[in-house]
Amino acid sequence: MSKVGIRDVAKLAGVSTGTVSRVLNDHPSVTKELRARVGGIINDLGYLPDPSARSMRSKVSRLIGIVIPDLTNPFFAELVQSAEQAAANHGYNIIVMTSFDHAAKEADRIRQLTSRKVDGIILVPSNDFHTIKLPKGLPIVVVDRLMPGYSGIAADHRNGVRLGVEHLLKLGHRRIGFISGPGHSVPANDRLRGYLDAIEEADGSAAMAGPPLIAEAAFDYESGRSAGNYLLARARNERPTAIFASSDQQAIGCMRAAHDLGIPIPAALSIVGFDGIPLASMTTPRLTTVKQPIQEVAAAAVAVLLNKQTAPELDNPILFACELLKGETTSPPQPD
Amino acid sequence: MSKVGIRDVAKLAGVSTGTVSRVLNDHPSVTKELRARVGGIINDLGYLPDPSARSMRSKVSRLIGIVIPDLTNPFFAELVQSAEQAAANHGYNIIVMTSFDHAAKEADRIRQLTSRKVDGIILVPSNDFHTIKLPKGLPIVVVDRLMPGYSGIAADHRNGVRLGVEHLLKLGHRRIGFISGPGHSVPANDRLRGYLDAIEEADGSAAMAGPPLIAEAAFDYESGRSAGNYLLARARNERPTAIFASSDQQAIGCMRAAHDLGIPIPAALSIVGFDGIPLASMTTPRLTTVKQPIQEVAAAAVAVLLNKQTAPELDNPILFACELLKGETTSPPQPD
DNA sequence: TTGTATGCGTTATCAG
DNA sequence: CTGATAACGCATACAA
């Protein structure tokens, strides 16, 4: 009952190992009936092909690696989960690794994955990613945080943010703060540009009353809280009446900050987040946010790696549209 | 620059492939200097041993599988991340899979992992887990949701809950509601028993004034909200003055419910959660919660699978102590 | 201590 | 369409 190999199946079926192999990989050149019989034996014996042997010969591991900055971030968790589903549909499995937003660790993870001989890598670059020397010949698709020079797939952050800011503008807000992403990363810039797009379109002068209302922050709760404190620490008539945060976690941290300062939401401050994580509908009050189509992004990434879909051109990423989810953190501004 | 194999290294180092192999696996019987020289060549050439070939010979894949109900749950996400770290320290990698709390999917995932020839599996059983026929010979360690008959590792839920409930009792609460876990799972029961332990110890009669204050719910936000609604939908003098939730997500959902009912926290209702996820300190007000030592649990699970630590006896799990994190959702009860 | 040679379980190449 | 057989890249028993 221990190790049943392909030869056992072959013997019991009265065929050669070659035939069994062909059945296994449903090679077209096998009779229907023979395929059926051999298939039956395979099942009866509970035979499972050895992936190592298989991979050694075929040079295909049916493994794909995914490297993300932080699994604790619900957004990435959902990304990984979606990728796992998509991969499983094609008989592939996922190896996860965390870079902790640290370039050196990230490079190491990619090295590990390479030596693992995965068939491809889905990478969400760390914030201080500086063009790692990627192993040539190993398909890599950059996701969410696009990098110039790499084949990428992501949500359309720019237009997504614009959607959210336009919503605030329509409500009548004119001093709209913005918590941006960290550093000069592409997604941070994209989101910032979405903000600027909306502001400019709505007539820059009216919108930008007062000093710059932009704060830079990492995407986590705590950074959002600090940024919120910073933006809200000014006289009431100079303080933003609304804030757009570049992540839901930032937005939630910002809500904390507002609460600590005694600023009621949405009465005295409207907040819009970005990502659309499930938690957004559980905060008090419910967070208005821009939802990213994570599952679509993940599925597309997997499809590209498995050549089920043509890879996007360098510097011409595949983008998926975002959607505004109205919650309870937005309302018209109070008069000063 | 393409495929450099062990023979290339051997040739260039002027030794046999056997020696290179021994260096690779740091077999003791190799001269220090030879080891150094060969190691150098290996580095220079950027040689990476092929894991498939390696695994085929040695019967060790250096892969371990982890099956969890839902990666979107921050608790499991952290568990996976911790496991990944622990495994990496030993040169192992992690394949993640989600069961979506569905027994059939769970069985399928385990089958996949088995055929993948992973060296071990870390399993957080689904809620409707019914004793899956686990493949013999493959080490499996059940984590968090212990199952009778399996080698398990977890936080000490029972005493952890007790800690939280005792805190409420000390504050003066006597009508303490409890949101339990789903079904009749072991962890749900453990937590329930912790609750009962504390209540009984504090003198049952005084504590249990009124009808039973226990609501069953899944561990997610929404279920916590429903359970909260259920517990709070009664006359003020019968309604609990405090609620202990079996997960932080439940607790947050419950806060939502309280807010929707116009019940201020902690003034009219104290809430304590369980898990200690990072988000707990970002809610408004900050959630008081019982923190599980996830990292320790994950590390222990990995250690057991790699035989770095003796496996716990069946039905005699390894337990790690929890810790109470005081937030702002608890205060003495108001008089009725 | 080191070299030699064999086989791990499959797939792919050729014949037939 | 199917059978026989040679790799695949490495680890290990055995010989030296």
Side-chain angles (χ1 to χ4, degrees):
Chain A
M1 119 141 221
S2 33
K3 27 191 157 181
V4 37
I6 198 176
R7 2 207 344 141
D8 300 304
V9 178
K11 213 146 293 175
L12 213 151
V15 299
S16 75
T17 62
T19 298
V20 178
S21 173
R22 282 182 281 255
V23 170
L24 246 48
N25 305 286
D26 31 46
H27 188 91
S29 71
V30 184
T31 315
K32 271 235 177 292
E33 61 175 47
L34 190 53
R35 171 189 308 284
R37 208 182 72 213
V38 175
I41 308 270
I42 288 179
N43 252 327
D44 295 351
L45 255 48
Y47 163 70
L48 296 174
D50 180 324
S52 303
R54 202 167 217 197
S55 157
M56 178 150 87
R57 270 304 288 185
S58 65
K59 299 304 174 195
V60 173
S61 63
R62 288 174 177 280
L63 240 30
I64 99 178
I66 182 166
V67 180
I68 56 170
D70 174 19
L71 199 53
T72 279
N73 181 323
F75 176 76
F76 295 135
E78 195 172 343
L79 179 69
V80 170
Q81 183 154 293
S82 301
E84 195 252 308
Q85 294 307 107
N89 290 337
H90 300 283
Y92 271 67
N93 293 130
I94 295 269
I95 294 183
V96 247
M97 294 193 171
T98 307
S99 68
F100 293 102
D101 254 326
H102 192 295
K105 285 200 173 76
E106 181 174 40
D108 174 68
R109 302 297 182 267
I110 292 180
R111 216 176 307 121
Q112 277 187 57
L113 252 16
T114 305
S115 79
R116 247 316 161 201
K117 292 265 179 6
V118 296
D119 295 340
I121 295 183
I122 295 176
L123 171 67
V124 178
S126 68
N127 282 324
D128 52 344
F129 171 95
H130 5 242
T131 310
I132 293 174
K133 47 164 198 250
L134 294 181
K136 227 24 186 175
L138 179 53
I140 294 201
V141 49
V142 168
V143 154
D144 185 50
R145 301 181 181 175
L146 302 181
M147 301 299 305
Y150 296 89
S151 203
I153 300 178
D156 187 343
H157 296 173
R158 183 170 180 175
N159 281 311
V161 170
R162 184 177 182 150
L163 229 58
V165 176
E166 280 172 351
H167 175 232
L168 291 171
L169 285 166
K170 259 177 245 157
L171 286 172
H173 291 276
R174 284 301 172 269
R175 290 198 307 277
I176 302 178
F178 183 74
I179 301 180
S180 83
H184 305 297
S185 60
V186 171
N189 281 330
D190 272 0
R191 297 181 198 189
L192 177 56
R193 289 199 302 181
Y195 167 73
L196 297 175
D197 284 352
I199 297 293
E200 282 172 17
E201 167 193 285
D203 177 14
S205 61
M208 295 299 284
L213 295 174
I214 298 177
E216 184 177 317
F219 287 120
D220 60 299
Y221 299 117
E222 190 50 35
S223 302
R225 196 176 65 78
S226 310
N229 272 327
Y230 167 76
L231 288 176
L232 297 172
R234 50 192 94 193
R236 173 163 189 138
N237 62 350
E238 290 189 353
R239 182 216 283 166
T241 61
I243 292 181
F244 186 98
S246 288
S247 81
D248 283 344
Q249 300 196 77
Q250 284 177 346
I252 291 170
C254 189
M255 286 171 72
R256 238 260 59 91
H259 181 264
D260 288 349
L261 291 170
I263 301 173
I265 298 173
L269 178 69
S270 288
I271 295 189
V272 178
F274 190 89
D275 278 348
I277 61 179
L279 176 63
S281 61
M282 275 302 145
T283 55
T284 305
R286 291 180 182 83
L287 182 64
T288 293
T289 185
V290 176
K291 180 174 177 53
Q292 292 197 53
I294 312 187
Q295 304 185 20
E296 294 175 47
V297 171
V302 169
V304 165
L305 288 184
L306 303 191
N307 296 314
K308 298 294 183 182
Q309 179 175 332
T310 60
E313 305 284 320
L314 301 192
D315 301 314
N316 186 23
I318 297 177
L319 295 181
F320 290 94
C322 295
E323 175 193 7
L324 178 68
L325 298 185
K326 293 184 188 171
E328 305 160 345
T329 54
T330 46
S331 71
Q334 287 178 323
D336 283 337
Chain B
M1 121 143 216
S2 36
K3 27 194 155 182
V4 36
I6 198 175
R7 0 199 353 137
D8 300 302
V9 177
K11 213 147 291 174
L12 213 152
V15 299
S16 75
T17 62
T19 299
V20 179
S21 173
R22 283 181 281 254
V23 170
L24 248 49
N25 305 286
D26 32 47
H27 189 92
S29 71
V30 185
T31 316
K32 272 235 178 291
E33 61 174 46
L34 226 196
R35 172 189 309 284
R37 208 182 72 216
V38 175
I41 308 270
I42 288 179
N43 251 326
D44 296 351
L45 255 48
Y47 163 69
L48 296 173
D50 181 322
S52 304
R54 204 168 215 197
S55 156
M56 180 150 83
R57 267 302 285 184
S58 66
K59 298 305 174 195
V60 173
S61 64
R62 289 174 177 281
L63 239 29
I64 98 177
I66 182 165
V67 180
I68 57 171
D70 175 19
L71 199 53
T72 280
N73 181 325
F75 176 76
F76 295 135
E78 195 173 343
L79 178 69
V80 170
Q81 184 154 293
S82 301
E84 193 252 301
Q85 294 306 106
N89 290 337
H90 299 284
Y92 271 67
N93 293 130
I94 296 270
I95 294 183
V96 247
M97 295 192 169
T98 306
S99 68
F100 294 102
D101 254 326
H102 193 294
K105 286 202 172 74
E106 181 173 41
D108 174 67
R109 302 298 182 266
I110 291 180
R111 215 176 308 122
Q112 277 188 57
L113 253 14
T114 304
S115 79
R116 238 329 153 196
K117 291 262 176 7
V118 296
D119 294 339
I121 295 182
I122 295 176
L123 171 67
V124 178
S126 68
N127 282 324
D128 53 342
F129 172 95
H130 4 243
T131 310
I132 292 173
K133 48 162 199 247
L134 295 181
K136 227 25 186 177
L138 179 53
I140 294 201
V141 48
V142 167
V143 153
D144 185 51
R145 302 181 180 174
L146 302 181
M147 301 300 304
Y150 295 89
S151 203
I153 300 178
D156 187 342
H157 296 172
R158 183 170 180 174
N159 280 310
V161 170
R162 184 176 183 151
L163 227 59
V165 177
E166 280 172 352
H167 175 233
L168 291 171
L169 286 166
K170 259 177 244 156
L171 285 172
H173 291 277
R174 286 300 172 270
R175 288 198 308 277
I176 302 177
F178 183 75
I179 302 180
S180 82
H184 305 298
S185 63
V186 172
N189 281 329
D190 272 359
R191 297 180 196 188
L192 177 56
R193 289 198 303 179
Y195 166 73
L196 297 176
D197 285 350
I199 296 294
E200 282 171 18
E201 167 194 285
D203 177 12
S205 62
M208 293 300 283
L213 295 173
I214 298 176
E216 184 177 316
F219 287 120
D220 61 299
Y221 299 117
E222 190 50 35
S223 303
R225 197 176 65 79
S226 309
N229 272 329
Y230 168 75
L231 289 176
L232 297 172
R234 52 193 93 194
R236 173 162 190 139
N237 62 351
E238 290 189 351
R239 183 217 284 168
T241 62
I243 292 181
F244 186 98
S246 288
S247 82
D248 283 346
Q249 300 197 79
Q250 283 177 346
I252 291 169
C254 188
M255 286 170 72
R256 242 254 64 87
H259 182 265
D260 287 349
L261 292 170
I263 301 174
I265 299 173
L269 178 68
S270 289
I271 295 189
V272 177
F274 190 88
D275 278 348
I277 61 179
L279 176 63
S281 62
M282 274 304 144
T283 55
T284 304
R286 292 182 183 82
L287 181 64
T288 294
T289 185
V290 175
K291 180 174 176 52
Q292 293 197 52
I294 312 187
Q295 304 185 20
E296 296 175 46
V297 170
V302 169
V304 165
L305 288 184
L306 303 191
N307 296 314
K308 299 291 182 183
Q309 178 176 330
T310 59
E313 305 284 320
L314 300 192
D315 302 313
N316 185 24
I318 297 177
L319 296 182
F320 290 94
C322 294
E323 175 192 8
L324 178 69
L325 298 185
K326 293 183 187 172
E328 305 160 346
T329 54
T330 46
S331 71
Q334 286 178 323
D336 282 335

